[in-house]
Amino acid sequence: MPTTTASRARTQPVTRPVLEAPVQTPGRPAGTAALLAALLGFAVITIDVSAVNIALPGIRADLHSGMTGLQWVADAYTLMFAGLMLSAGALSDRTGARRAYVLGTALFTLASLACALAPGLGALIAARVVQGGAAAVLMPASLALIREAYDDARRRARAIALWTVGGSVAMAAGPVLGGVLTEHVGWRAVFFLNLPVGAAILALLTKVAPSPRRPAPLDVPGQITAVLTLAGLTFAVIEGGAAGLAALAVSVVSAITFYVTEKRHRAPMVPLSMLRDRTVSVSLAVGFAINVGFYGVVFLLGLYLQQLRGMSATSAGLVFVPLAVLITGMNLISPRTAERFGRRAVVVTGQLVLALAMFALLPLTAHTPTWLLLLLLVPTGLGGAFAIPAVTAMLMDAVPGPRVGTASGLLNALRQTGGALAVAVFGTLLAAGGEGTFSLPGMRWSLLAAGTLLTATALLSATLLHRPSG
């Protein structure tokens, strides 16, 4: 569901003073190059999530990993993506969008090479950490490139629409590419695929004019404590035991330190006063819950299809294609429906449909017909994609103009965190039957937890969003 960050590009303030003279607006060739570079970057970081999920059983077999290792392969990327998203926009402003995009692309490409050549699980996880950090830099910088390349509002809107559709296509292509490459070449090819894409992006960026640099304060203490809080909590869930308790303690201390830091910092990364707004806090909770459900299901079914049903990686990838097509369609329908019936109705309905999807998947067994599985996946594609555009618009309208970028970054960070914690918790439940087995009861408990959470946030939305916030 890649539409969330588009609002930032449309509404990000541009009245701040610059550190160097702005360059002239690029002409059509340079604008096209910037758009293609931004689209390719967004596509590759989207593909990297869905393709790797399908490749996890191949990684498990080749590197002799248990479920814990697979959880870290998925979460190492997502955690850094979530944790650094809060500061990535400020970094892009300080260095200039093109420079940030060059650095992010180069780092992502090198980290992909390290993933492809990883001799063991530890090296792969370490490279995934770097990949996630680079992806966090690429996301806001890609939108900033588009904004700089198109001064005309209509052309910029069309460019952002293409950027969004590119993400949806990448989401559809990711599982298929991951399945085909894993089955016929090997899981390492999933990461090698990023190398020519990275080279193409860097070549396109040579045709894009340098970006102006703008003063944007970096909240280093807040950034460090945010990452420690998320990493500690995830480690505690995945690892458990004495080490897990120690990690939980680190997470709690870091969370308290983060709160104190943000309260006292002159330019906090997360202005706490913004969270007191009812619409803001509910929107963030909804974004978190939707990603728990959606990305949790993708993680669960990727393993279910291959480990329990014995599907090939290619066949498992193809199962997700109708899901991505539905998401693309609902992203287009949602704004029009919100205009007619109101955003609150769309947000509540989307969550309830996604909760229904979680409950509908509970009866799955190793012998459920494929046609029935595809039918049961329909509400998964409808629900989250229906709610997210309305949630994003609602959040953007609830904050002052200068804080739109901050709010957008926070929403994306919490959505990524929801996905990371879903993998951590659901993976632990799947491993309940032993590291070498797939636990069907564990999958059902995971789906039940996700459905319950979505029902709770839907009720929260229905209760709190109908009254004026504040």
Side-chain angles (χ1 to χ4, degrees):
M1 287 165 284
T3 59
T4 304
T5 50
S7 295
R8 178 178 180 182
R10 289 193 293 266
T11 54
Q12 184 179 1
V14 292
T15 57
R16 293 170 291 183
V18 297
L19 297 178
E20 59 186 46
V23 296
Q24 290 185 338
T25 303
R28 181 176 294 273
T32 301
L35 174 59
L36 286 174
L39 195 153
L40 283 174
F42 186 30
V44 78
I45 63 178
T46 302
I47 287 174
D48 210 66
V49 175
S50 53
V52 170
N53 271 331
I54 298 299
L56 288 177
I59 294 173
R60 180 176 193 164
D62 188 34
L63 299 183
H64 310 290
S65 166
M67 181 61 70
T68 298
L70 297 186
Q71 288 169 276
W72 279 119
V73 170
D75 270 354
Y77 179 90
T78 311
L79 276 174
M80 290 305 293
F81 198 173
L84 296 182
M85 181 72 72
L86 296 171
S87 292
L91 179 65
S92 176
D93 286 343
R94 287 170 68 92
T95 62
R98 193 191 73 164
R99 184 178 292 106
Y101 206 67
V102 168
L103 294 174
T105 300
L107 188 60
F108 187 89
T109 304
L110 290 174
S112 298
L113 178 61
C115 288
L117 299 177
L121 193 65
L124 176 59
I125 292 170
R128 290 283 283 168
V129 169
V130 179
Q131 257 196 327
V137 174
L138 287 174
M139 180 68 84
S142 68
L143 286 166
L145 279 179
I146 293 174
R147 183 174 183 86
E148 292 173 3
Y150 297 94
D151 274 349
D152 179 74
R154 290 185 178 181
R155 292 183 63 201
R156 183 167 64 245
R158 288 196 293 268
I160 292 173
L162 287 172
W163 180 87
T164 301
V165 171
S168 296
V169 172
M171 183 179 293
V176 179
L177 283 173
V180 171
L181 291 173
T182 300
E183 183 177 352
H184 298 287
V185 184
W187 64 266
R188 297 177 188 274
V190 173
F191 297 106
F192 276 125
L193 179 66
N194 297 338
L195 304 187
V197 178
I201 293 172
L202 292 174
L204 287 167
L205 290 173
T206 62
K207 301 178 182 180
V208 178
S211 301
R213 302 188 327 184
R214 299 180 175 89
L218 286 176
D219 179 6
V220 176
Q223 180 63 84
I224 292 173
T225 51
V227 171
L228 286 175
T229 299
L230 296 179
L233 180 59
T234 304
F235 188 96
V237 174
I238 293 177
E239 299 292 340
L245 287 175
L248 182 61
V250 170
S251 179
V252 171
V253 171
S254 297
I256 295 171
T257 306
F258 176 82
Y259 174 81
V260 173
T261 298
E262 297 305 280
K263 193 172 182 179
R264 297 179 177 178
H265 200 281
R266 64 179 181 84
M269 185 171 61
V270 180
L272 299 179
S273 60
M274 185 173 68
L275 302 181
R276 299 190 189 104
D277 185 285
R278 183 186 301 145
T279 301
V280 171
S281 57
V282 172
S283 297
L284 295 175
V286 170
F288 175 88
I290 287 175
N291 266 38
V292 167
F294 182 81
Y295 286 104
V297 162
V298 172
F299 173 74
L300 291 170
L301 293 185
L303 296 174
Y304 159 81
L305 292 170
Q306 295 178 74
Q307 291 187 222
L308 192 64
R309 296 181 59 117
M311 279 190 178
S312 68
T314 302
S315 298
L318 288 171
V319 168
F320 291 97
V321 173
L323 191 67
V325 173
L326 284 171
I327 289 169
T328 304
M330 292 310 297
N331 279 336
L332 299 174
I333 293 171
S334 174
R336 297 176 183 176
T337 309
E339 288 180 7
R340 181 172 181 180
F341 298 102
R343 291 170 182 165
R344 171 180 166 269
V346 171
V347 169
V348 173
T349 302
Q351 290 176 90
L352 290 177
V353 170
L354 189 55
L356 174 65
M358 304 298 104
F359 299 137
L361 292 170
L362 287 173
L364 288 182
T365 68
H367 307 292
T368 300
T370 302
W371 68 264
L372 180 57
L373 171 61
L374 292 173
L375 183 63
L376 293 175
L377 279 176
V378 168
T380 303
L382 297 178
F386 192 56
I388 280 296
V391 168
T392 304
M394 186 180 296
L395 178 64
M396 296 302 100
D397 286 348
V399 298
R403 289 189 172 174
V404 163
T406 300
S408 177
L410 185 57
L411 177 61
N412 278 284
L414 280 175
R415 289 185 64 198
Q416 294 295 330
T417 300
L421 289 179
V423 170
V425 174
F426 296 175
T428 300
L429 292 172
L430 285 181
E435 283 286 346
T437 62
F438 180 94
S439 170
L440 193 57
M443 184 177 80
R444 289 171 178 157
W445 279 112
S446 300
L447 292 168
L448 185 62
T452 302
L453 175 63
L454 284 159
T455 302
T457 53
L459 293 175
L460 190 70
S461 304
T463 303
L464 297 182
L465 292 181
H466 75 287
R467 295 191 297 266
S469 57

